[in-house]
Amino acid sequence: MTLHAADQAPPRLEPGLGRSLLPLFALALSMMIGFTVMGSFATVQEGAKAELGLSDTLLALIQGVGAAVPLVLFSIPIGILVDRFNRVRLLLALAMLWTAGTLLTAYAPGTGTLFAARMMTGIGTTGALTAALSLGADLCRPDQRGRAMLIVSLGKAAGQAGAFALAGLLFGLFAGGGFGLLPWRATHLGLAGIALVLIVPVLFLREPPRREMAAGLRAPMGVLAGELWVRRRFLLPLFIGQVSVVMADAAAGIWAAPVLTRVYRQTPDAFAGWMGALILAAGIGGAILGGLAADWGQKSGRRGGVLSGAIIAAAIGIPAAFFPIAGSIPLFAAALGTLVLAGTITGLITSVTLTVLIPNELRGLCIGAFIAVAGLIGFGLAPTLVTLVARMLGGEAQLAPALTIVGVVTSTCSVFAFLLAMRAAPLSAIDEPI
């Protein structure tokens, strides 16, 4: 088979990073708009709360559970599709899904439809991330994957910033009414149109050959399950480490805007600009540091050295998780930016770790499983956990200290989990762990 021939190709035939920049930038652009539409609702959720009469618990369910349930159900099947079928076509289909979800958000008549709309954007964006990471890994050599994932992650970081900056800009633009809709609805209608335009470069991508396969592209599921089982001592703590980071980041991403609105008396159009710039800067910085740290860690020659940067970043995230109770907007911004920086570093390094230490036929499955678990626990549990802790502390007025507690505890767990994963890491993608 052609794919197996590509697996056995000599190193001189493997693509270099320079030759792959254009397709990597196309992947980054698709991730940018995907994560923008996925996170946009958090910026304007107070408008939806007022119109539809939503409580904080319902907002948490719409954004948390609404993203988590479909991720749990679909991320692993999408990961299997990524491992076995054309990834470019799959990416395009998922882009259409997140666009449809954004459009449905604009016209959602009630809680149930809004819940379904946010599920669609979550499935599309996180499924597409699995495809983009798998594609990016096969566009360059293993020793360059930190920098390749850096480019894809820059798109994700720009999208997370755009969820604040672009959504806030559109919200302000449509504050007087746009398209005959309330501002939060008109914002999502505008985002749906932008999404259709920015996915066009993906139409010109070509499927690259798959490399570093151990069992083969069409290996039976029983064989793949066996490969996963022998790597359990490595994968399990790696899962726990990254999911813990996702919990802290997801809770911060969903509840930062309400804390600014309720505690610091800021409106979306007032904080959207600096919040977007902050997240963009932290995302770009985290992607650069994470990509370079991952490649440096591989060159160190240590077992699991690729994870060194993730351990350091996770530790930095512990004090940064105190951002909700910082006491002033500048301190709030500095701590939140540091938390986003640390989360971006660990996320990128985890992605690189999977692409260099897991066989190709398992990468989509592993990334999908990571997303599924992160969706269930990170997006599904963390936002609701914040509301539960706030209730224990006295009610919705205790949102800021509750968010702090959840962030500090989960960030601490991630440090110890990454240390365990580092100790149990295999030496290469085709080697079994110790």
Side-chain angles (χ1 to χ4, degrees), residues 391-419:
R391 191 176 304 167
M392 292 173 59
L393 295 177
E396 292 186 357
Q398 301 302 315
L399 178 63
L403 180 57
T404 301
I405 292 171
V406 171
V408 170
V409 172
T410 53
S411 297
T412 302
C413 290
S414 67
V415 176
F416 292 101
F418 281 133
L419 283 168

Side-chain angles (χ1 to χ4, degrees), residues 25 36 48 78-79 129 152 178 185 193 202 204 228 234 238 254 290 300-301 308 328 341 374 394 401 413:
F25 280 123
T36 293
I78 289 175
L129 178 61
V152 177
R185 293 183 182 274
V202 177
F204 299 95
L228 288 174
F234 164 61
L238 187 64
I254 289 175
S300 71
S308 300
S328 69
L341 177 76
C413 290

Side-chain angles (χ1 to χ4, degrees), residues 300-326:
S300 71
R302 297 178 57 192
R303 180 181 293 276
V306 65
L307 285 169
S308 300
I311 295 170
I312 297 171
I316 292 173
I318 297 173
F322 284 91
F323 77 91
I325 56 173

Side-chain angles (χ1 to χ4, degrees), residues 160-355:
Q160 291 170 329
F164 286 97
L166 183 56
L169 177 65
L170 292 175
F171 183 89
L173 182 64
F174 299 132
F179 306 112
L181 301 171
L182 290 175
W184 73 272
R185 293 183 182 274
T187 295
H188 284 91
L189 183 58
L191 286 172
I194 295 171
L196 286 175
V197 174
L198 294 187
I199 199 62
V200 169
V202 177
L203 295 171
F204 299 95
L205 290 182
R206 296 293 179 266
E207 181 79 5
R210 298 177 188 260
R211 306 173 189 279
E212 301 151 23
M213 301 188 72
L217 184 64
R218 304 293 181 185
M221 291 303 298
V223 173
L224 299 182
E227 289 190 15
L228 288 174
W229 179 252
V230 300
R231 292 170 171 81
R232 65 190 183 280
R233 293 183 62 246
F234 164 61
L235 286 173
L236 184 58
L238 187 64
F239 268 54
I240 294 173
Q242 186 54 27
V243 167
S244 297
V245 171
V246 170
M247 288 183 70
D249 288 353
I254 289 175
W255 292 117
V259 168
L260 282 170
T261 300
R262 301 175 196 179
V263 178
Y264 296 91
R265 306 303 178 188
Q266 297 281 295
T267 58
D269 55 329
F271 65 73
W274 66 260
M275 179 79 82
L278 174 74
I279 293 178
L280 177 61
I284 291 174
I288 293 172
L289 291 173
L292 296 177
D295 285 348
W296 171 81
Q298 292 186 76
K299 293 178 182 178
S300 71
R302 297 178 57 192
R303 180 181 293 276
V306 65
L307 285 169
S308 300
I311 295 170
I312 297 171
I316 292 173
I318 297 173
F322 284 91
F323 77 91
I325 56 173
S328 69
I329 292 178
L331 288 177
F332 179 103
L336 177 61
T338 302
L339 185 68
V340 175
L341 177 76
T344 304
I345 292 172
T346 60
L348 192 148
I349 291 177
T350 299
S351 298
V352 175
T353 300
L354 290 175
T355 64

Side-chain angles (χ1 to χ4, degrees), residues 38-43 45 56-68 115 118 253-255 258 379-380 383:
M38 181 179 173
S40 58
F41 184 73
T43 303
Q45 64 181 316
D56 280 356
T57 299
L58 278 177
L59 284 174
L61 290 174
I62 290 170
Q63 297 186 84
V65 178
F115 187 88
R118 303 321 297 164
I254 289 175
W255 292 117
F379 292 101

Side-chain angles (χ1 to χ4, degrees), residues 74-167:
F74 291 100
S75 290
I76 292 177
I78 289 175
I80 294 173
L81 291 176
V82 166
D83 286 334
R84 294 176 175 247
F85 297 99
N86 188 292
R87 294 165 286 184
V88 175
R89 294 175 185 172
L90 183 61
L91 178 58
L92 285 169
L94 292 166
M96 292 302 99
L97 183 62
W98 77 51
T99 302
T102 306
L103 186 62
L104 185 59
T105 300
Y107 291 100
T111 305
T113 306
L114 185 59
F115 187 88
R118 303 321 297 164
M119 285 198 299
M120 292 167 65
T121 60
I123 295 171
T125 300
T126 52
L129 178 61
T130 302
L133 293 174
S134 179
L135 283 165
D138 283 329
L139 287 170
C140 65
R141 300 192 306 268
D143 63 327
Q144 297 177 325
R145 283 186 189 148
R147 283 160 285 177
M149 296 299 103
L150 182 162
I151 295 172
V152 177
S153 292
L154 286 177
K156 178 182 176 182
Q160 291 170 329
F164 286 97
L166 183 56

